[in-house]
Amino acid sequence: MAGLNKVTVEDISVKGKKVLVRCDFNVPLKDGVISNDNRITAALPTIKKLVAEGGKVVLCSHLGKPKNGPEDKFSLAPVAVRLSELLPETKVTFANDDIVVGENAKKAVAEMNNGDIVLLQNTRFRGAEETKNGEEFSKELADLVNDEAFVMDAFGSAHRAHASTAGVTKFVKETAVGYLMQKEINYLGNAVEVPERPFVAILGGAKVADKLNVIANLLEKCDTLIIGGGMAYTFLKAKGYEVGTSLVDNEKVDYCKEMLEKAEKLGKQLLLPVDTTITKTFPDPIDGEIEASVVDADKIPADMMGLDIGCKTCEIFGEAVKSAKTVVWNGPMGVFENPVLAKGTIAVAKALAETDATTIIGGGDSAAAVIQLGFADKMSHISTGGGASLEYLEGKVLPGIDVIADKK
């Protein structure tokens, strides 16, 4: 899985052809205004390549999770506006059809010149036809581009077998991955399959259950596995420690014991917090003032909860990163949204920023933390996919990649 043996945008010629590109424009919106356009700018290299080559470029994406059919707040109209600003030399038309492939879309595509762009409405406006990979919707999308070509560039949706990520490929002649997909798979794939060693993996976040298979898979692959965040307390309980009112998954305590034994058997280093930042209650609001203190990991009082790693742990984790050549990080070390409980996440981000290793941030909260804390430009790669990068780290085959043609 490390190397990407898929047809890429470099391998296909689209001059004069209609090409459907599945992007990830699932951007945060506040009152109809995009608050972070990272996902749009990440898609530009592929879009620009297809436009420059004279393709007729039809873009599609989902945005949010509309539960009640088409709603204005989930419209891709703001994305069309931002694309026009980012590509001032290119004609960008927004085809506003509640059924996605409607009269507006058909007319706009029919009138395209080479190098034009049409953006379709939110694919999730088709509900289960999109999310359950409906054949009719898949066909409609393919028909819109005369069944000519499809480029998959939405890594954040690659773990979903939807009509616009997988189903459509059955009905088009040529399929390829875009530059963003290529970059994601090369970074994540190489890190897990052929890493430069020492390879350190850092896992955080709230729940052990979300990362069961990732823990098992990474223990096989890495030299050191660091565990922080809420999930660390289930591991500490597995070691027989008192964890107070900290977040614990009691059903997974035995699993954590197995992982500790597995690490020992494989000769791998599994690092857990040696001290922890504790509070009486969870902060409410999440960024509100809160009193906290630091205790050793085996000295958490019965009526307190751990919400971040402590200073000694920050140093130990930082040291482990210093000697690494490859580091993959998925999940914050604590409640990073609160300044009092962000110290562990900041310390890990700083350690990664200062190392010469290849540093890969696996989407989701860890990506948000790195960006929010101002370390983004110091990382080798920040994944655009939370769930997708996790499944990739588990060693799973992602349907949105699997369906793309292999290079001959």
Side-chain angles (χ1 to χ4, degrees), residues 21-42:
V21 186
R22 178 52 159 97
C23 301
D24 182 3
F25 293 149
N26 187 22
V27 291
L29 288 169
K30 202 170 182 186
D31 304 323
V33 178
I34 296 167
S35 56
N36 181 332
D37 68 357
N38 281 357
R39 285 181 167 174
I40 300 174
T41 53

Side-chain angles (χ1 to χ4, degrees), residues 213-279:
N213 298 331
V214 182
I215 296 166
N217 193 40
L218 286 178
L219 261 183
E220 302 272 348
K221 316 273 187 188
C222 70
D223 301 297
T224 300
L225 179 61
I226 293 174
I227 297 205
M231 61 193 288
Y233 300 100
T234 306
F235 276 89
L236 293 174
K237 187 166 183 180
K239 288 185 78 168
Y241 293 0
E242 166 65 64
V243 291
T245 59
S246 308
L247 184 71
V248 167
D249 187 339
N250 286 309
E251 288 178 12
K252 299 291 180 279
V253 172
D254 286 343
Y255 173 84
C256 291
K257 280 181 187 163
E258 282 169 34
M259 290 302 111
L260 291 164
E261 286 162 16
K262 181 177 178 172
E264 206 170 322
K265 208 174 282 176
L266 293 171
K268 304 293 174 83
Q269 196 176 24
L270 195 156
L271 298 179
L272 294 170
V274 295
D275 59 350
T276 180
T277 302
I278 57 169
T279 66

Side-chain angles (χ1 to χ4, degrees), residues 137-340:
F137 183 39
S138 300
K139 266 186 181 156
E140 285 174 34
L141 288 167
D143 286 348
L144 196 59
V145 293
N146 297 350
D147 305 342
E148 288 184 315
F150 171 77
V151 173
M152 176 61 175
D153 211 24
F155 182 74
S157 299
H159 59 313
R160 312 239 183 254
H162 288 179
S164 67
T165 59
V168 63
T169 59
K170 285 192 277 187
F171 306 105
V172 290
K173 297 181 191 84
E174 284 187 292
T175 58
V177 293
Y179 291 126
L180 181 62
M181 288 285 284
Q182 217 177 333
K183 188 180 174 200
E184 292 275 12
I185 297 162
N186 286 346
Y187 266 109
L188 285 166
N190 288 331
V192 177
E193 301 300 335
V194 284
E196 204 182 334
R197 295 188 183 278
F199 170 28
V200 175
I202 307 169
L203 292 178
K207 297 177 190 160
V208 176
D210 292 348
K211 298 194 170 125
L212 289 181
N213 298 331
V214 182
I215 296 166
N217 193 40
L218 286 178
L219 261 183
E220 302 272 348
K221 316 273 187 188
C222 70
D223 301 297
T224 300
L225 179 61
I226 293 174
I227 297 205
M231 61 193 288
Y233 300 100
T234 306
F235 276 89
L236 293 174
K237 187 166 183 180
K239 288 185 78 168
Y241 293 0
E242 166 65 64
V243 291
T245 59
S246 308
L247 184 71
V248 167
D249 187 339
N250 286 309
E251 288 178 12
K252 299 291 180 279
V253 172
D254 286 343
Y255 173 84
C256 291
K257 280 181 187 163
E258 282 169 34
M259 290 302 111
L260 291 164
E261 286 162 16
K262 181 177 178 172
E264 206 170 322
K265 208 174 282 176
L266 293 171
K268 304 293 174 83
Q269 196 176 24
L270 195 156
L271 298 179
L272 294 170
V274 295
D275 59 350
T276 180
T277 302
I278 57 169
T279 66
K280 264 278 188 225
T281 55
F282 196 87
D284 181 21
I286 199 162
D287 57 355
E289 278 185 34
I290 192 150
E291 269 187 48
S293 55
V294 178
V295 296
D296 286 348
D298 58 352
K299 305 270 189 314
I300 300 173
D303 61 343
M304 303 285 267
M305 61 175 68
L307 292 178
D308 191 17
I309 57 174
C311 329
K312 287 188 278 194
T313 304
C314 289
E315 277 180 38
I316 293 166
F317 288 5
E319 278 301 312
V321 165
K322 262 184 201 166
S323 57
K325 288 279 189 283
T326 305
V327 185
V328 173
W329 178 22
N330 189 296
M333 296 292 102
V335 185
F336 75 95
E337 299 91 342
N338 189 296
V340 177

Side-chain angles (χ1 to χ4, degrees), residues 93-154:
T93 305
F94 179 51
N96 191 1
D97 289 308
D98 283 354
I99 58 167
V100 188
V101 184
E103 291 313 310
N104 293 326
K106 289 171 186 171
K107 184 174 183 289
V109 172
E111 291 171 359
M112 288 177 96
N113 292 314
N114 292 358
D116 285 353
I117 291 173
V118 168
L119 173 66
L120 303 181
Q121 187 51 284
N122 189 340
T123 55
R124 296 238 177 126
F125 282 2
R126 289 291 286 261
E129 290 181 278
E130 159 72 330
T131 57
K132 300 282 188 240
N133 197 0
E135 189 158 297
E136 192 181 325
F137 183 39
S138 300
K139 266 186 181 156
E140 285 174 34
L141 288 167
D143 286 348
L144 196 59
V145 293
N146 297 350
D147 305 342
E148 288 184 315
F150 171 77
V151 173
M152 176 61 175
D153 211 24

